[in-house]
């Protein structure tokens, strides 16, 4: 039985600054705190999936520097198998993250460095692992051509394909047709469909448009309003999981995607896997950081069993 997950994506070192507000151009302000830690959507999702009990292989590129050491230590701690191309001609990626003190909301700038040079050749070199996996998951922080080739190989091999289309970008219908699941947030869904997502009803319409473009199922994450799941048989709204006071929302989407993929790899019904993903995300936002905030499988199961998430 297939049960492994292959994730293609980016690692970046998160440099997180908390302040009352962002500075204006030309302005310097004092922040309240600074944290250096692991990040990047693909890396975060790998950690989230591994913490949720999955057998995870993460395909990426790193430079040869101190940030690469942070990456490898992060994956080793979570139990992620690192499948890395070392790129001595570039640097390990980094991200600037501003966190608004009062709300925990964030704004991010990413410089992917070596991971921005992930190539079709890098993906084709891992074709056997991708095609034999239960699930292949990717995002759009690395070059689009590499993501598309990974989806093609996974689809040809019979793996379930998941595209988290972040950051927002125009996506060809031919690429969407390779996806069993697409998991945009509101702004990403609008970017693909042209439908502004400001309500659950809007999300239903955007999901319908994604189905018309050829995806197997659309899963639109709605922040504090939960997740909208729609396939050709069902349309289900799963509420957000309130696991405690919100500390930081930066890794919430990655926590959802990783936990969702992990539960799907275990053979769960997609709506049940969405619910599991929501619980993982709900726990993650009660903690600071991205990868360090990802909950273990036992934590998610305990939360679901507590009756707090109905």
């Amino acid at each position: 039985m297939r049960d492994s997950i292959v994730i293609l994506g980016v690692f970046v070192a998160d440099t997180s600054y908390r302040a009352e507000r962002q500075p204006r151009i030309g302005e310097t302000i004092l922040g309240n705190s600074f944290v250096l830690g692991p990040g990047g959507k693909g890396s975060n999702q790998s950690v989230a999936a591994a913490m949720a009990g999955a057998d995870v292989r993460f395909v990426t590129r790193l430079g040869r520097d101190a940030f690469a050491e942070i990456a490898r230590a992060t994956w080793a701690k979570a139990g992620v198998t690192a499948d890395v191309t070392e790129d001595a001609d570039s640097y390990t990626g980094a991200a600037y993250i501003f966190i608004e003190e009062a709300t925990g909301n964030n704004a991010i700038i990413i410089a992917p460095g070596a991971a921005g040079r992930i190539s079709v050749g890098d993906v084709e070199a891992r074709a056997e692992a991708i095609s034999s996996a239960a699930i292949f998951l990717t995002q759009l922080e690395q070059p689009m051509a590499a993501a598309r080739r990974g989806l093609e190989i996974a689809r040809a091999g019979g793996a379930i394909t998941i595209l988290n289309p972040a950051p927002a970008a125009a996506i060809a219908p031919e690429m969407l047709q390779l996806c069993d699941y697409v998991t945009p947030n509101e702004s990403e869904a609008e970017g693909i469909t042209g439908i502004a997502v400001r309500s659950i009803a809007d999300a239903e319409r955007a999901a319908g448009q994604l189905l018309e473009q050829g995806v197997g199922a659309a899963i639109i994450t709605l922040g504090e309003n939960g997740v909208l799941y729609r396939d050709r048989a069902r349309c289900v709204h799963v509420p957000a999981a309130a696991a405690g006071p919100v500390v930081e929302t930066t890794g919430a989407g990655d926590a959802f995607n990783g936990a969702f993929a992990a539960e799907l790899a275990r053979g769960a019904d997609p709506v049940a896997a969405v619910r599991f993903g929501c619980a993982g995300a709900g726990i993650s936002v009660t903690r600071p950081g991205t990868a360090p905030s990802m909950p273990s499988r036992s934590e998610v199961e305990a939360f679901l069993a507590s009756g707090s998430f109905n």
Side-chain angles (χ1 to χ4, degrees), residues 242-298:
V246 174
V247 173
E248 183 177 337
T249 63
T250 309
D254 297 332
F256 171 83
N257 277 276
F260 168 73
E263 192 68 356
L264 203 63
R266 294 169 69 93
D269 174 81
V271 173
V274 167
R275 183 177 172 82
F276 189 89
C278 284
I283 295 170
S284 77
V285 300
T286 67
R287 303 167 176 174
T290 50
S293 74
M294 303 306 175
S296 67
R297 181 169 193 86
S298 61

Side-chain angles (χ1 to χ4, degrees), residues 12-23 35 41 94-101 103-111 141 167 185 187 247-251 290:
V12 297
D14 284 344
T15 63
S16 300
Y17 305 78
R18 299 185 76 97
E20 302 304 321
R21 62 176 177 82
Q22 291 195 76
V35 175
K41 290 185 180 299
Y96 156 82
I97 303 174
F98 162 75
I99 302 166
E100 188 175 53
E101 190 68 69
T103 65
N105 291 331
N106 63 79
I108 303 172
I109 300 172
I110 297 171
E141 287 183 335
N185 64 18
S187 62
V247 173
E248 183 177 337
T249 63
T250 309
T290 50

Side-chain angles (χ1 to χ4, degrees), residues 61-65 68 72 84-92 113-115 117:
R61 274 184 178 243
L62 299 175
R64 295 176 180 172
D65 48 37
R72 293 183 184 278
V84 174
T85 299
E86 287 193 351
D87 191 336
D89 296 326
S90 189
Y91 58 89
T92 301
R117 291 152 59 107

Side-chain angles (χ1 to χ4, degrees), residues 17 24 28 60 116 141 197-198 234 255 268 279 286 291 305 307:
Y17 305 78
R24 295 182 290 272
T28 300
T60 194
E141 287 183 335
V197 178
R198 300 188 177 91
R234 293 179 290 179
T286 67

Side-chain angles (χ1 to χ4, degrees), residues 61-160:
R61 274 184 178 243
L62 299 175
R64 295 176 180 172
D65 48 37
F67 284 173
E69 295 172 10
I70 294 174
R72 293 183 184 278
T74 298
W75 301 330
K77 182 177 180 180
V80 174
T81 299
D83 194 343
V84 174
T85 299
E86 287 193 351
D87 191 336
D89 296 326
S90 189
Y91 58 89
T92 301
Y96 156 82
I97 303 174
F98 162 75
I99 302 166
E100 188 175 53
E101 190 68 69
T103 65
N105 291 331
N106 63 79
I108 303 172
I109 300 172
I110 297 171
R117 291 152 59 107
I118 293 172
S119 68
V120 168
D122 291 335
V123 174
E124 290 178 340
R126 279 81 176 183
E128 183 176 352
I130 293 170
S131 62
S132 63
I135 291 175
F136 174 74
L137 166 61
T138 191
Q139 322 75 34
L140 299 179
E141 287 183 335
Q142 75 286 321
M144 182 89 69
R148 178 167 176 168
R149 185 65 183 126
L151 291 166
E152 289 171 346
I153 292 169
R155 173 57 62 86
I160 294 170

